[in-house]
């Protein structure tokens, strides 16, 4: 029995995917199965009025006949939109012979369209219904039969990726093969075939080979066996390395700013993700309103120039803001930024925020990064912390260096803290109990972020710690050390994810040391233990007031599930969570305060919007918590 086959492919010399076919049906499928009988040669359609033949999905105002498609839903939808008969409905003077010719021609068109869905042996019946002087209806009945499945798949490589012994090249080949979207046994469709080739090409040019191309592709369909053998050829071309950076658009800022922020070193192997990350660093630095980075594939592969186009932000800006949080209530703020202070070239950001619980004023001055991405930083801050019975007037001065990397941030600084505590809750309590004092410390902070994406991570983890040591100031100076560790892990599930969070801190000092409350611990609130107010978890003093403690531990587990819309995940998520936290002056005195609840998340343009309703088990109260942004 002869074998009927269809081949969908591209010639090997082609740089892009195209369709090779005997005729030019929309599907790009060439069938060598027995063709339908040819239409009568002497019957010609009547001349078609100008403008009467349009897109197949056009709906003419006046139609010569109706079309009825009888087929499974997916096939019916395709034919109703794209069948060629739709083009001739506007020709109102067709006679019976011309309609018969169109019906014969339509069978091949229908066969090719159905083939794009993977049905290469359909049973097609096209009939003309309607009596004399009645409006004709062309009925297209299709039984698609069984779908064609993917058989053997061959992904062939040429160029440097095929010859290089570099482990990264071998890994890239393995990734392309592993991520192939049409594995053996899956149903074949034209869209899936096109999408799989596009995805494979993207995997090739994403790193190392920006000049890579699809050198050829072939889908060999065995219609009786209902299998399709797939072959694609990927030509990587040469390996590309980054060359000199060419920057345009910089006028008012130091020319070294762009290369130091971008961190794209000459000689580095081309990686599209690194270019995107560098582009994001420039755009989010505050110095530039926009940034665009690209490498020309036609350039020298050994030293491809990195072209950077930026549009500078204004030298100064003022931001006015209003907002509300469940921890602190309504707030208003004004922030002024000068990107290049005359004389020193540093950036100065000054902010005043007014709110009920913790108003503050702060100014932070930072230098431009050096070649190692380190900056000098100077900060001054004064704030008022209102904890109802205790009111703390706090001041902070800091000077040091900071480094922001792709995943790791580091800070080294000298810091002065002063806290003056007053209020009704001070009666009967000592300065040591309430955190009234001052101190000078040396600190080191390290933060690593290993999430798949920000600010909406789907999996990964973050890890951070800070350690400091110094002395209290005043008449009785006492040394102390302070350490804090924190961790956030996100584990993807089949639907949603689990987010786990842990934080612990300790201050080691003599009981008589007057350590400022800003160096001690209290917890509770939107981002710590929900179900409790801001800093409501601490040491219960003899008069019932909550004071700061020397030890702190916080933990949380949260189940985040996407809300479905039409069966697909939406921008909203539902959460269930359990939080716990404790503060004490001795580790053995730690007693957790537990909060449980549920909430929703929305992927807003400025980060995750979180709205949670939590029940504090210890206080037996329900609290609403609202916050915006992803922080670690």
């Amino acid at each position: 029995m002869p074998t009927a086959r269809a081949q969908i492919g591209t010639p090997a010399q082609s740089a892009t995917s195209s369709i090779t076919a005997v005729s030019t049906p929309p599907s790009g499928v060439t069938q060598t199965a027995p063709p339908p009988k040819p239409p009568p040669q002497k019957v010609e359609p009547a001349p078609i009025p100008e403008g009467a033949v349009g897109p197949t999905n056009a709906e003419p105002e006046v139609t010569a006949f109706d079309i009825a498609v009888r087929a499974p839903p997916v096939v019916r939808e395709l034919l109703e939109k794209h069948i060629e008969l739709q083009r001739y409905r506007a020709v109102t003077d067709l006679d019976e012979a011309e309609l018969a010719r169109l019906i014969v021609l339509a069978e091949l068109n229908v066969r090719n369209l159905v083939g794009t869905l993977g049905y290469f042996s359909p049973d097609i019946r096209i009939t003309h219904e309607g009596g004399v002087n009645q409006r004709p209806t062309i009925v297209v009945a299709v039984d698609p039969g069984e779908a064609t499945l993917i058989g053997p798949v061959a992904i062939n490589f040429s160029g440097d990726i095929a010859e290089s012994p570099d482990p990264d090249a071998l890994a890239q080949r393995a990734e392309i093969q592993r991520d192939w979207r049409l594995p053996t046994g899956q149903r074949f469709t034209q869209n899936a075939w096109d999408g799989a080739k596009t995805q494979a090409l993207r995997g090739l040019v994403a790193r190392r080979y920006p000049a890579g191309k699809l050198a050829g592709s072939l889908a060999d369909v065995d219609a009786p066996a209902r299998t399709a053998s797939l072959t694609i050829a990927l030509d990587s071309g040469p390996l590309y390395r980054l060359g000199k950076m060419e920057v345009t658009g910089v006028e008012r800022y130091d020319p070294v700013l762009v290369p130091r922020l971008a961190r794209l070193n000459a000689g580095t192997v081309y990686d599209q993700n690194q270019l995107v990350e560098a582009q994001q660093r420039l755009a989010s630095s505050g110095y530039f309103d926009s940034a665009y980075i690209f490498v020309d594939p036609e350039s020298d592969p050994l030293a491809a120039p990195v072209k950077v186009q930026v549009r500078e932000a204004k030298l100064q800006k003022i931001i006015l803001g209003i907002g509300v949080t469940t921890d602190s209530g309504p707030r208003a703020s004004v922030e002024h930024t000068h990107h290049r202070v005359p004389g020193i070239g540093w950036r100065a950001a000054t902010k005043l925020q007014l709110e009920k619980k913790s108003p503050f004023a702060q100014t932070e001055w930072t230098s431009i990064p050096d070649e190692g991405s380190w900056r000098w930083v100077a900060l001054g801050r004064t704030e008022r912390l209102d904890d109802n019975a205790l009111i703390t007037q706090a001041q902070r001065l800091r000077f040091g260096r900071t480094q922001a990397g792709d995943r790791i941030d580091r800070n080294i600084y000298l810091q002065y803290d002063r806290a003056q505590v007053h209020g009704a809750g001070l009666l009967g309590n000592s300065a040591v109990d309430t955190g009234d004092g001052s101190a000078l410390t040396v600190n080191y902070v390290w933060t690593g972020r290993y999430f798949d994406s920000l600010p909406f991570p789907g999996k990964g983890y973050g890890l951070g710690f800070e350690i400091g040591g110094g002395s209290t100031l005043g008449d009785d100076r006492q040394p102390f050390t302070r350490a804090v560790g924190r961790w956030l892990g996100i584990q993807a599930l089949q639907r949603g994810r689990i987010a786990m969070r842990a934080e612990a801190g300790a201050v080691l000092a003599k009981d008589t040391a007057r350590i400022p409350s800003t160096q001690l611990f209290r917890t509770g609130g939107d981002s710590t233990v929900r179900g409790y107010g801001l800093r409501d978890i601490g040491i219960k003093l003899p008069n019932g007031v909550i004071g700061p403690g020397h030890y702190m531990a916080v933990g949380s587990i949260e189940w985040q599930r996407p809300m479905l819309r039409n069966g697909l995940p939406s921008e909203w998520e539902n959460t269930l969570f359990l939080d716990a936290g404790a503060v004490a002056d001795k580790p053995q005195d730690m007693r957790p305060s537990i909060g449980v609840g549920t909430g929703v998340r929305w992927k807003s343009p400025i980060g995750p919007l979180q709205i949670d309703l939590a029940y504090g088990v210890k206080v037996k109260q329900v609290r609403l918590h609202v916050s915006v942004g992803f922080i670690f």
Side-chain angles (χ1 to χ4, degrees):
M1 182 178 196
T3 300
R5 310 184 77 87
Q7 292 189 340
I8 310 170
T10 61
Q13 68 272 18
S14 174
T16 59
S17 179
S18 61
I19 302 297
T20 300
V22 174
S23 58
T24 57
S27 66
V29 179
T30 299
Q31 291 265 11
T32 57
K37 294 181 180 180
Q41 297 299 315
K42 295 183 179 181
V43 180
E44 297 293 339
I48 298 171
E50 183 178 354
V53 178
T56 58
N57 58 354
E59 188 67 33
E61 295 182 3
V62 179
T63 58
F65 55 87
D66 294 327
I67 299 174
V69 179
R70 298 170 186 170
V74 63
V75 176
R76 184 176 66 248
E77 182 179 357
L78 176 71
L79 295 180
E80 287 177 344
K81 287 184 178 180
H82 300 291
I83 191 170
E84 284 289 328
L85 286 172
Q86 295 280 10
R87 296 166 56 91
Y88 297 98
R89 295 179 67 197
V91 184
T92 57
D93 56 350
L94 292 173
D95 58 26
E96 291 296 324
E98 291 163 343
L99 274 176
R101 175 179 171 82
L102 290 178
I103 289 173
V104 173
L105 292 173
E107 182 176 349
L108 180 59
N109 174 233
V110 170
R111 188 175 300 276
N112 287 327
L113 286 173
V114 175
T116 66
L117 298 177
Y119 300 104
F120 291 97
S121 299
D123 183 8
I124 302 172
R125 294 182 180 88
I126 304 178
T127 58
H128 175 197
E129 296 183 357
V132 180
N133 299 325
Q134 289 184 343
R135 181 180 176 85
T137 298
I138 297 179
V139 178
V140 181
V142 179
D143 179 3
E146 295 185 22
T148 297
L149 303 181
I150 304 301
V153 177
I155 303 177
N156 302 319
F157 297 92
S158 61
D160 181 84
I161 194 172
E163 303 166 358
S164 175
D166 190 322
D168 194 33
L170 299 177
Q172 188 172 1
R173 288 176 55 182
E175 288 174 9
I176 294 172
Q177 293 170 329
R178 181 195 64 204
D179 297 338
W180 175 249
R181 291 186 174 182
L182 277 180
T184 299
Q186 187 170 319
R187 175 182 162 188
F188 176 88
T189 68
Q190 182 69 46
N191 286 340
W193 170 229
D194 292 340
K197 291 184 289 185
T198 300
Q199 178 65 22
L201 182 59
R202 286 175 179 170
L204 177 67
V205 301
R207 67 178 193 271
R208 299 173 63 88
Y209 308 110
K213 61 184 180 181
L214 181 65
S217 64
L218 176 67
D220 188 2
V221 178
D222 186 340
R226 299 185 182 89
T227 60
S229 302
L230 307 182
T231 303
I232 68 167
L234 296 173
D235 182 1
S236 70
L239 172 69
Y240 275 69
R241 294 185 179 275
L242 303 185
K244 182 180 178 181
M245 185 172 292
E246 300 176 357
V247 182
T248 58
V250 175
E251 296 178 357
R252 60 172 62 102
Y253 299 129
D254 194 320
V256 303
L257 184 61
V258 170
R260 290 181 180 177
L261 288 173
R263 301 199 294 270
L264 296 173
N265 299 323
T268 302
V269 173
Y270 171 88
D271 189 320
Q272 190 177 55
N273 286 336
Q274 291 183 0
L275 266 62
V276 172
E277 290 172 358
Q279 186 171 292
Q280 292 174 341
R281 282 194 294 271
L282 290 172
S284 62
S285 68
Y287 291 101
F288 307 102
D289 289 333
S290 63
Y292 179 55
I293 302 178
F294 65 97
V295 169
D296 185 0
E298 302 298 328
S299 57
D300 179 10
L302 298 179
V306 180
K307 299 184 180 182
V308 184
Q309 299 173 355
V310 296
R311 182 162 60 90
E312 293 180 323
K314 293 183 178 180
L315 196 60
Q316 300 185 61
K317 67 176 180 180
I318 295 178
I319 299 176
L320 303 177
I322 58 173
V324 61
T325 67
T326 48
D327 279 343
S328 301
R331 65 170 179 244
S333 64
V334 56
E335 183 175 359
H336 173 264
T337 302
H338 195 305
H339 288 298
R340 192 174 187 180
V341 177
I344 61 173
W346 288 26
R347 176 165 61 191
T350 303
K351 183 175 184 178
L352 173 64
Q353 182 164 299
L354 302 177
E355 58 181 65
K356 182 179 179 180
K357 288 285 189 180
S358 54
F360 69 87
Q362 174 179 297
T363 183
E364 183 176 27
W365 294 45
T366 57
S367 68
I368 65 172
D370 61 17
E371 293 182 356
S373 299
W374 285 95
R375 301 170 181 255
W376 289 102
V377 179
L379 177 143
R381 180 184 177 99
T382 180
E383 62 184 329
R384 181 179 183 269
L385 304 174
D386 186 348
D387 298 318
N388 298 321
L390 294 177
I391 298 175
T392 304
Q393 299 284 354
Q395 297 83 41
R396 172 172 292 172
L397 296 174
R398 177 186 295 175
F399 183 78
R401 303 193 76 191
T402 181
Q403 182 192 53
D406 294 335
R407 294 189 178 274
I408 297 174
D409 296 344
R410 298 178 178 87
N411 294 274
I412 303 173
Y413 54 87
L414 179 70
Q415 181 167 294
Y416 167 77
D417 287 277
R418 182 185 180 191
Q420 296 173 298
V421 184
H422 60 277
L426 193 60
L427 298 176
N429 295 313
S430 67
V432 173
D433 293 333
T434 58
D436 187 299
S438 58
L440 186 66
T441 57
V442 177
N443 303 270
Y444 177 76
V445 181
W446 184 97
T447 302
R449 301 176 183 88
Y450 302 92
F451 301 103
D452 59 343
S453 64
L454 292 175
F456 305 106
K459 61 180 180 179
Y461 68 95
L463 182 66
F465 68 87
E466 53 186 276
I467 186 168
S471 172
T472 61
L473 302 178
D475 295 334
D476 184 20
R477 298 187 177 184
Q478 296 284 351
F480 69 94
T481 58
R482 183 178 188 272
V484 177
R486 62 189 186 280
W487 170 82
L488 172 63
I490 299 177
Q491 177 65 48
L493 304 175
Q494 186 173 2
R495 181 184 172 191
R497 67 194 71 86
I498 295 290
M500 295 169 286
R501 174 170 48 89
E503 184 175 5
V507 174
L508 305 179
K510 289 185 177 180
D511 294 340
T512 57
R514 290 184 55 179
I515 300 173
S517 60
T518 51
Q519 290 281 353
L520 299 174
F521 303 106
R522 292 175 67 173
T523 191
D526 296 341
S527 59
T528 54
V529 184
R530 288 159 288 189
Y532 301 82
L534 181 66
R535 297 189 298 272
D536 276 357
I537 300 173
I539 302 294
K540 191 171 184 179
L541 301 179
N543 63 353
V545 173
I546 302 297
H550 287 67
Y551 293 89
M552 178 268 296
V554 173
S556 174
I557 183 169
E558 182 171 290
W559 182 20
Q560 303 168 352
R561 298 179 300 167
M563 296 181 181
L564 302 182
R565 179 185 301 165
N566 298 324
L568 298 175
S570 68
E571 298 296 307
W572 289 86
E573 293 181 336
N574 171 248
T575 64
L576 298 171
F577 58 83
L578 170 67
D579 297 343
V583 173
D585 276 333
K586 298 182 183 301
Q588 60 268 29
D589 295 335
M590 302 280 274
R591 299 292 184 271
S593 297
I594 297 174
V596 296
T598 184
V600 294
R601 302 283 183 273
W602 175 52
K603 294 182 179 180
S604 77
I606 58 175
L609 169 65
Q610 306 179 95
I611 305 174
D612 297 318
L613 192 64
Y615 175 73
V617 176
K618 182 174 288 188
V619 295
K620 296 181 172 62
Q621 290 182 351
V622 175
R623 294 183 66 94
L624 178 67
H625 297 270
V626 180
S627 61
V628 179
F630 174 81
I631 300 174
F632 182 82

